[in-house]
Amino acid sequence: MRQISQTYVNDRSFEAYVKYLALKKHFTSDSYDYFKYNGKIRASFDTFNGRNDAYFFAKLAKRDDYENLILANMIVKPEIWVREILDEEAEARYTEWKRKQDSLSYVFKSELYHLYSDYQLNFVSRDGQHPYIMTLYSQKKISLETFTILAHTAKIFSYWSEKIVDKIVSRDIIRLAKKYKPFLVYDEKKFKDIIRGHFF
């Protein structure tokens, strides 16, 4: 099997392997920052050369936008295996992710209507419970993009970390939003104006 794998080992498939490992570590570790290390991670070409799944990385590397294909799936399933990234469900996630990036302001404006009209009420944790905005995200009524932009604009993470009793689910959601923010390309002033126009 090792010799079969070797036929797929080249610079581009190794690069896809490194991106996969780096993105996975970014979304599953508090210490690693994909942007700080420019998507680099300690990885051995020799180790990759002996992997039985090198074929899948070679196949992944043929995609023009494989980095975003990995990203679109990591934000849903951080522990996803490389062969899963190549299936139809993963492709659907990528298509949906790309749709949201291409029309981010429209998606954001539309999803604001799910929130309370009282802006601050959406972020309050009553008796240690999840705030309304976090519940909406958990119920998939608002996207990770909308949740992330609103949470960062409100600078609410330290308050949530202190107030919310459930530290497991809330911690994972907070970390995901923090880790995802640098991947979102948007005009912060424009989105603040959208928030201001909707709520105030």
Side-chain angles (χ1 to χ4, degrees):
M1 180 60 111
R2 177 171 176 167
Q3 288 185 332
I4 293 172
S5 292
Q6 285 177 340
T7 63
Y8 303 106
V9 175
N10 54 47
D11 288 345
R12 186 161 171 82
S13 60
F14 179 67
E15 181 184 294
Y17 168 67
V18 169
K19 292 291 185 187
Y20 167 81
L21 290 181
L23 283 165
K24 186 173 185 178
K25 190 164 187 180
H26 179 84
F27 284 106
T28 58
S29 161
D30 289 323
S31 59
Y32 181 80
D33 185 323
Y34 185 82
F35 289 89
K36 180 179 178 181
Y37 296 104
N38 198 28
K40 304 297 182 186
I41 196 167
R42 192 172 296 170
S44 163
F45 195 90
D46 288 339
T47 300
F48 177 60
N49 194 27
R51 288 181 67 104
N52 291 334
D53 57 3
Y55 163 76
F56 296 105
F57 287 104
K59 194 173 178 182
L60 178 64
K62 289 179 180 177
R63 294 290 300 265
D64 291 334
D65 196 23
Y66 72 77
E67 188 174 349
N68 282 328
L69 175 60
I70 298 169
L71 170 65
N73 282 279
M74 287 279 181
I75 59 176
V76 176
K77 193 176 180 182
E79 297 284 355
I80 194 167
W81 292 4
V82 60
R83 62 176 171 264
E84 292 179 89
I85 296 173
L86 297 165
D87 66 21
E88 288 183 10
E89 187 177 357
E91 185 64 33
R93 287 192 193 112
Y94 168 71
T95 300
E96 176 62 13
W97 175 86
K98 197 167 186 313
R99 181 192 68 78
K100 283 185 284 192
Q101 307 316 303
D102 292 342
S103 55
L104 192 56
S105 60
Y106 174 78
V107 170
F108 186 73
K109 286 177 185 176
S110 300
E111 292 183 350
L112 289 182
Y113 287 98
H114 291 290
L115 278 75
Y116 292 134
S117 56
D118 183 328
Y119 177 71
Q120 292 186 336
L121 199 57
N122 293 291
F123 302 94
V124 173
S125 170
R126 295 187 181 278
D127 301 320
Q129 298 301 306
H130 285 182
Y132 186 58
I133 187 176
M134 195 175 283
T135 300
L136 287 176
Y137 167 69
S138 298
Q139 294 174 346
K140 299 183 178 178
K141 291 181 179 177
I142 62 171
S143 62
L144 176 60
E145 287 76 12
T146 294
F147 176 82
T148 298
I149 292 169
L150 284 168
H152 275 87
T153 302
K155 296 181 172 61
I156 200 72
F157 294 120
S158 58
Y159 164 78
W160 282 347
S161 296
E162 178 187 340
K163 295 291 184 182
I164 300 172
V165 172
D166 157 44
K167 301 300 182 189
I168 299 174
V169 175
S170 65
R171 181 194 62 205
D172 288 347
I173 293 173
I174 289 169
R175 181 170 70 184
L176 179 58
K178 285 180 175 179
K179 292 284 191 173
Y180 186 43
K181 168 67 163 55
F183 292 94
L184 281 176
V185 179
Y186 67 100
D187 183 333
E188 293 193 18
K189 182 183 181 302
K190 176 184 175 181
F191 277 70
K192 283 180 182 177
D193 288 343
I194 292 171
I195 292 168
R196 205 171 287 115
H198 181 89
F199 291 102
F200 302 103

